[in-house]
Amino acid sequence: MTRSVRYLAFAGCLISLAWTASVCAAAPVEGRVSAVTLYRGQAQVTRVVPIEGAAGRLEVVVSQLPEQIVPNSLFAEGGDGVEIRAVRFRTRAVGEEPREEVRKLDDEILAAQQELDLTTKRQALLVKRTEYLAKLEGFVAPTAQADLTSGVLDAEALERMTTFSFAQLETIASEEVELAKQARVLNERIELLNRKRAEITAGASQTLREAVLFIQKKAEAPAEVRLNYLVNNCGWSPSYVMRAAADRNNVQVEYSALIQQLSGEDWNDVELTLSTASPTLSAAGPGLAPLHVMLASGDQVAAIVAANGPESGELNFSIPMQNASKSAVQGRISGLRAQRSEMSQAIGNAGNFADVNRFSWSLNDVASSYQLLELGCSLSELRSESFDDGGGPSISYSLGRGVSLASRTDQQMVRIMQAAVDSQFYHVAVPVLTPHVYREAELKNTSDHDLLAGPMTAYLDGRFVGQGELPTVARGERFVVGFGADAQLRARRELVNKTDGTQGGNRETRFEYRLVVENFGNEPTPVRVIDRLPHAENGADIRVTLGKTSDKLSEDTLYAREEKPMGILRWDVDVAADAAGESARLITYDYGVEYDRKVVVSLPSTKEVQQQEFEQLQRDRQKR
């Protein structure tokens, strides 16, 4: 240790001793949880701690901090009359569990265990009574035999003794059954109580967690300090209910939050804020390191794989992937993205220089691995799996005061908002896939809140019609919600005609189809009828031509831009009331396919890209 370091350490000890000599210590206080910002996996809790006593240096101990507290997340804020000098976290072992709810469970477990012990002793006593009766029987039977031989047998006494013995045995049998039942019930109760205790004290021990505040009180008047800390094992997720009335003029959107709260402390009458951001304690952001690269031959890469096992080519992010499959590239990018998210949260919670540097290096390592993919993979492979998805928007919902959330295992629900939004209802028929016709509503988010992606439950005319998922919707944005199948409509697809011919070296085939939509209801209904043409991967090899259609294709902008070039056909038609059988709504069209007559038409052997393309189209359909 250098002289300067020894001097600084000595000076620190002197300052600490000086503070200790002049400080006024008070009895521990708990304070009151006044505000909570709930994130997706953590929460920032604010406690208001009263500061009493004379002006001067004070050491305030805030007790009963929860089990799931993040120790290095503590910080305090004072008002005009209080100056915060330092905040420290400490733990103390105690003889009993400090939480009231756990102490109650411990008392119940102890009482049940004592009752079980008493039941066990009673069972043991029954065993002794049974043994005694057996010994009594062993004495009575030989004596009766001897008396009978001698001619002095007292038959009446023998009968009374026999009756008494059998009555006692019957009583013992009944008591054994009853005590066994009691023991089974008590064991089940103790097991249940122990499970409850384990759930609310997961990872905890008989330890008291405290914050020590070193403060300077400037005046005699009472003051307050806000103690803030992060807790784990809590979070929230969005949930929606869509209700449409019979007139279909608007849809009632109910936006709620499903909350998991198992932090170890109850939040009573708090000011609650829900946030999609990540809590950040570190004042410094990650630093960028140089990207060092080198050339590696195929033999060197093979040696790395041989040394680390056959799976290292998929898992080792330092190995180039020039010849890797698209699915392997996607898997690697997905893994890198998960690592980056984890490290970003870790650096946000880092409280010292060493941790910030350590997590910064991990982030640099992840980014270097992705940049290696940029150097070695094609653009289409890189675009197939986004690395910079950003994790969605950072949104906060302030619910105000008066929210109470107990620390318990089951989920709790609070409402974020409720609003009526304008709607445009229509039906969708895809007869190539299903004869059912589904109801959809195009809505516009006219509320004051952005809507996060989450599960949705739909009701129509007060009846449950199905479940779905809502995409993330910004304020003012349009989106589509499904309201289940309509039993009053049916659709089917019929192949009317097919002709084959040749022209030169090509084969020409023409198809004629009829799409039938039936409406058994008593009101006209707008229906979007959707079908498709073959979409050639290589237009020079296969030519697909749409011929005549009985109805004009939809002029919807999104459809014309995204789906029509992919061979999707869509007609927006009105189906009259009672349109069934001969009066059903018909749509006819034909198309031709021309290709070399020496080959046949087949489906692509790999469908991963097509599946991603389909999923993207579905997401686009939800957002208008």
Side-chain angles (χ1 to χ4, degrees):
M1 184 182 291
T2 64
R3 180 179 299 177
S4 61
V5 173
R6 287 197 298 268
Y7 174 78
L8 289 174
F10 179 69
C13 291
L14 290 179
I15 293 173
S16 177
L17 289 172
W19 177 277
T20 304
S22 60
V23 74
C24 295
V29 296
E30 290 188 28
R32 176 180 59 85
V33 176
S34 62
V36 175
T37 299
L38 187 60
Y39 302 101
R40 289 303 184 95
Q42 293 180 308
Q44 180 171 297
V45 180
T46 299
R47 283 198 191 193
V48 175
V49 181
I51 306 298
E52 306 288 347
R57 296 175 180 176
L58 298 177
E59 181 179 313
V60 179
V61 177
V62 183
S63 63
Q64 302 296 336
L65 297 182
E67 292 95 339
Q68 295 298 325
I69 189 171
V70 179
N72 64 351
S73 67
L74 284 166
F75 69 93
E77 300 168 320
D80 295 336
V82 177
E83 182 179 301
I84 307 296
R85 296 294 179 86
V87 180
R88 297 290 181 267
F89 176 78
R90 73 183 185 189
T91 59
R92 291 191 295 113
V94 294
E96 62 178 6
E97 171 62 45
R99 289 173 55 189
E100 179 64 24
E101 58 181 331
V102 180
R103 288 201 299 270
K104 288 182 179 179
L105 281 175
D106 287 340
D107 292 341
E108 291 185 43
I109 293 172
L110 178 60
Q113 187 62 55
Q114 290 174 342
E115 192 173 348
L116 179 61
D117 292 341
L118 181 59
T119 300
T120 302
K121 290 184 179 298
R122 287 174 176 169
Q123 288 176 318
L125 182 59
L126 288 180
V127 172
K128 290 185 177 181
R129 286 174 60 186
T130 303
E131 292 174 351
Y132 175 79
L133 289 173
K135 292 179 180 179
L136 185 62
E137 182 181 352
F139 169 76
V140 170
T143 302
Q145 181 66 34
D147 290 347
L148 181 62
T149 304
S150 305
V152 293
L153 177 65
D154 188 347
E156 185 177 347
L158 179 61
E159 181 181 3
R160 286 199 303 270
M161 184 65 67
T162 303
T163 301
F164 169 77
S165 178
F166 278 101
Q168 286 295 308
L169 289 173
E170 185 175 354
T171 301
I172 289 173
S174 299
E175 291 181 3
E176 282 180 340
V177 172
E178 184 62 29
L179 289 175
K181 179 181 177 181
Q182 291 179 12
R184 184 171 62 254
V185 171
L186 288 170
N187 278 314
E188 291 175 353
R189 183 181 176 191
I190 292 172
E191 183 181 356
L192 176 62
L193 291 171
N194 280 323
R195 284 205 307 269
K196 287 183 177 180
R197 192 186 192 283
E199 288 174 352
I200 64 176
T201 61
S205 59
Q206 292 185 344
T207 301
L208 195 64
R209 286 154 288 274
E210 298 175 331
V212 183
L213 311 182
F214 300 92
I215 64 176
Q216 181 74 38
K217 194 167 184 286
K218 300 178 181 179
E220 301 287 336
E224 289 183 341
V225 168
R226 294 182 303 278
L227 177 66
N228 301 273
Y229 50 87
L230 290 178
V231 290
N232 293 320
N233 218 353
C234 53
W236 72 280
S237 60
S239 178
Y240 299 90
V241 174
M242 302 288 176
R243 302 183 190 273
D247 57 16
R248 316 284 175 90
N249 290 330
N250 59 61
V251 171
Q252 192 80 11
V253 180
E254 298 176 10
Y255 184 12
S256 302
L258 289 175
I259 295 177
Q260 174 198 3
Q261 208 285 75
L262 200 57
S263 64
E265 68 179 348
D266 294 338
W267 303 334
N268 296 316
D269 194 24
V270 301
E271 183 178 344
L272 181 64
T273 299
L274 305 176
S275 177
T276 62
S278 297
T280 301
L281 298 175
S282 175
L288 186 63
L291 176 62
H292 297 282
V293 298
M294 59 176 289
L295 296 179
S297 66
D299 292 340
Q300 290 172 318
V301 172
I304 295 174
V305 174
N308 294 278
E311 295 183 354
S312 63
E314 299 279 335
L315 303 178
N316 190 329
F317 293 157
S318 65
I319 299 176
M321 302 187 70
Q322 285 88 342
N323 298 319
S325 65
K326 183 170 291 188
S327 60
V329 174
Q330 293 170 355
R332 181 169 295 187
I333 294 176
S334 179
L336 290 171
R337 189 173 60 240
Q339 287 191 26
R340 187 182 66 170
S341 177
E342 179 183 351
M343 290 299 104
S344 295
Q345 182 173 357
I347 200 172
N349 292 338
N352 56 65
F353 183 77
D355 286 342
V356 170
N357 272 0
R358 178 162 55 89
F359 295 131
S360 289
W361 174 251
S362 297
L363 278 174
N364 274 278
D365 195 29
V366 171
S368 298
S369 298
Y370 180 74
Q371 288 186 272
L372 182 66
L373 293 178
E374 290 181 331
L375 292 172
C377 299
S378 67
L379 184 60
S380 62
E381 291 170 337
L382 296 170
R383 284 178 174 173
S384 63
E385 183 79 17
S386 173
F387 182 65
D388 298 312
D389 59 354
S394 295
I395 301 172
S396 293
Y397 305 104
S398 179
L399 305 187
R401 295 203 59 81
V403 180
S404 296
L405 295 166
S407 177
R408 66 190 198 198
T409 54
D410 54 325
Q411 287 186 321
Q412 303 168 74
M413 178 177 284
V414 295
R415 177 173 291 175
I416 298 175
M417 70 90 175
Q418 183 175 13
V421 300
D422 294 338
S423 62
Q424 179 185 349
F425 271 81
Y426 55 88
H427 290 67
V428 176
V430 191
V432 71
L433 300 180
T434 174
H436 300 293
V437 179
Y438 287 82
R439 291 174 290 238
E440 288 186 354
E442 185 175 315
L443 312 177
K444 183 178 181 180
N445 182 13
T446 54
S447 71
D448 296 330
H449 298 281
D450 295 328
L451 307 179
L452 296 177
M456 174 209 70
T457 304
Y459 293 86
L460 182 63
D461 299 340
R463 295 178 294 105
F464 170 79
V465 292
Q467 296 176 331
E469 186 170 346
L470 198 71
T472 297
V473 182
R475 280 168 285 186
E477 189 174 10
R478 294 186 179 275
F479 61 103
V480 174
V481 174
F483 279 88
D486 190 338
Q488 298 298 309
L489 289 104
R490 285 288 186 274
R492 65 181 184 271
R493 179 178 187 262
E494 300 173 350
L495 176 59
V496 178
N497 195 18
K498 175 183 176 182
T499 59
D500 280 313
T502 58
Q503 182 175 356
N506 289 342
R507 177 181 181 180
E508 290 185 338
T509 306
R510 295 207 65 82
F511 300 86
E512 183 180 348
Y513 285 94
R514 178 168 54 232
L515 307 179
V516 182
V517 182
E518 295 181 300
N519 182 7
F520 304 103
N522 54 11
E523 292 183 0
T525 304
V527 180
R528 297 180 182 180
V529 184
I530 300 175
D531 204 7
R532 65 186 176 191
L533 301 177
H535 179 67
E537 291 294 311
N538 189 341
D541 295 336
I542 306 176
R543 186 171 65 182
V544 180
T545 306
L546 177 64
K548 296 179 181 180
T549 64
S550 61
D551 294 81
K552 184 172 61 174
L553 291 177
S554 173
E555 296 179 350
D556 180 80
T557 304
L558 181 62
Y559 159 72
R561 184 179 71 242
E562 302 292 341
E563 298 181 283
K564 188 176 180 181
M566 304 302 296
I568 303 297
L569 305 177
R570 172 180 149 186
W571 296 269
D572 299 340
V573 300
D574 290 322
V575 182
D578 298 320
E582 294 182 355
S583 61
R585 183 65 163 88
L586 304 180
I587 298 174
T588 60
Y589 74 95
D590 65 83
Y591 73 91
V593 180
E594 183 179 353
Y595 54 92
D596 191 331
R597 64 181 180 180
K598 296 179 181 179
V599 296
V600 295
V601 178
S602 65
L603 297 176
S605 58
T606 59
K607 299 183 180 180
E608 296 173 356
V609 176
Q610 286 79 14
Q611 182 177 356
Q612 293 170 8
E613 178 185 78
F614 164 73
E615 292 173 355
Q616 184 60 49
L617 285 174
Q618 290 296 93
R619 286 191 290 267
D620 291 341
R621 285 169 181 153
Q622 282 188 297
K623 304 287 285 292
R624 304 300 298 171

